[in-house]
């Protein structure tokens, strides 16, 4: 069974540029999560989807971050414009609905210069 | 508010020695507790989980954890560490369903000496 797929794995951009991350969850997982992981810290939830509905986006900085999950499968997380402080690893995870066990992708390491 | 504290930022053990990683949590209801491992450049992999029943739970890779409600702890243990166990370990707490969200600790980095 394929795991959670994320791309790209690494991205280097200059500040004020836009960037997008893509996630393909495990087949059949209705719940999808985007996390931010700063160096030396645990993951922090940015947004959680149930199918195509964002049910928890309270921690998403909506002035520059946006996300979508149009058909309830793949998801894209966008930052526009990026700031130096956005340098971090962005993790995607998925789970079956109503189940707390999450399966994580390898993450995208973003460096903003 | 729920929270997780992993008091040890970094632990070094010799290969073959026993290991215990500490985790303390704060949660207003019955917690669902997890331990994840993260190797460099990889995502988090679930080692084990606990919600109810026997307070000593077994996980993958020879790990086990013990839930102690009176101490609000969920410590991870392994009797004999292998060099491949070197990684970062995260404890997390959350609701039984994903109607809420899980909170992760800041992790403990394990170094294994030959």
């Amino acid at each position: 069974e394929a795991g959670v797929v994320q791309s790209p794995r690494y991205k280097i951009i200059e500040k004020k540029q836009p960037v997008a991350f893509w996630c393909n969850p495990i087949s059949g997982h209705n719940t999808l999560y985007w996390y931010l992981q700063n160096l030396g810290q645990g993951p922090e939830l940015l947004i959680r989807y149930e199918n195509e509905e964002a049910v928890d986006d309270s921690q998403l900085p909506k002035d520059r971050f946006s996300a979508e999950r149009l058909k309830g499968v793949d998801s894209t997380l966008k930052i526009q414009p990026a700031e130096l402080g956005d340098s971090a690893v962005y993790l995607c995870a998925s789970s079956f609905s109503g189940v707390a066990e999450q399966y994580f992708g390898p993450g995208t390491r973003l460096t903003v210069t | 508010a729920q929270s997780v504290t992993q008091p040890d930022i970094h632990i070094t053990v010799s290969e073959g020695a026993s290991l215990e990683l500490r985790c303390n949590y704060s949660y207003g209801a019955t917690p669902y507790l997890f331990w994840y491992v993260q190797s460099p450049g990889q995502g988090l992999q679930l080692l084990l989980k606990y919600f109810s029943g026997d307070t000593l739970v077994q996980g993958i890779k020879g790990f086990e954890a013990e839930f102690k409600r009176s101490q609000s702890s969920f410590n991870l243990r392994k009797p004999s560490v292998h060099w491949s166990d070197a990684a970062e370990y995260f404890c997390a707490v959350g609701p039984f369903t994903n109607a809420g969200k899980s909170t992760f600790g800041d992790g403990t980095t394990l170094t294994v000496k030959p």
Side-chain angles (χ1 to χ4, degrees):
Chain A
E1 179 183 283
V4 176
V5 179
Q6 290 188 248
S7 68
R9 292 294 311 278
Y10 304 92
K11 188 74 174 178
I12 301 174
I13 62 171
E14 294 183 346
K15 62 182 181 182
K16 301 184 181 180
Q17 295 301 306
V19 65
F21 314 125
W22 176 80
C23 173
N24 180 244
I26 292 174
S27 177
H29 282 191
N30 297 89
T31 307
L32 184 145
Y33 313 75
W34 281 104
Y35 287 91
L36 166 70
Q37 186 179 24
N38 287 306
L39 187 64
Q41 297 183 16
E44 299 174 20
L45 183 69
L46 289 172
I47 189 168
R48 176 168 63 93
Y49 281 94
E50 289 291 339
N51 299 304
E52 61 272 13
E53 180 182 1
V55 295
D56 183 356
D57 62 356
S58 58
Q59 301 302 310
L60 188 72
K62 299 181 183 64
D63 57 336
R64 297 185 300 108
F65 286 66
S66 64
E68 61 183 14
R69 193 184 184 200
L70 293 176
K71 296 183 178 180
V73 180
D74 296 2
S75 178
T76 301
L77 178 69
K78 299 178 181 177
I79 308 175
Q80 182 171 11
E83 297 179 352
L84 294 176
D86 296 331
S87 295
V89 175
Y90 292 81
L91 294 167
C92 179
S94 68
S95 70
F96 288 110
S97 290
V99 176
E101 299 167 42
Q102 300 173 37
Y103 294 82
F104 284 81
T108 296
R109 181 176 296 277
L110 174 67
T111 301
V112 182
T113 64
Chain B
Q2 61 196 53
S3 66
V4 175
T5 301
Q6 294 182 244
D8 304 304
I9 296 174
H10 194 175
I11 283 184
T12 299
V13 300
S14 297
E15 190 168 15
S18 63
L19 170 71
E20 182 170 31
L21 302 182
R22 297 184 290 164
C23 172
N24 294 98
Y25 68 91
S26 173
Y27 194 73
T30 302
Y32 199 176
L33 293 155
F34 306 86
W35 274 101
Y36 289 88
V37 60
Q38 186 177 34
S39 297
Q42 301 298 315
L44 280 70
Q45 180 184 20
L46 181 66
L47 282 175
L48 46 79
K49 59 188 185 288
Y50 173 79
F51 179 70
S52 65
D54 191 344
T55 56
L56 184 64
V57 293
Q58 303 297 318
I60 62 172
K61 304 186 180 186
F63 285 91
E64 65 179 26
E66 186 171 14
F67 172 65
K68 294 185 177 180
R69 185 183 300 276
S70 61
Q71 299 178 18
S72 297
S73 69
F74 188 57
N75 294 349
L76 182 72
R77 301 196 294 249
K78 187 171 185 177
S80 178
V81 169
H82 188 262
W83 64 266
S84 60
D85 294 324
E88 190 154 20
Y89 292 80
F90 293 93
C91 181
V93 66
F96 184 64
T97 68
N98 63 6
K101 63 180 183 182
S102 294
T103 297
F104 289 79
D106 285 337
T108 297
T109 300
L110 173 65
T111 298
V112 180
K113 295 189 303 183

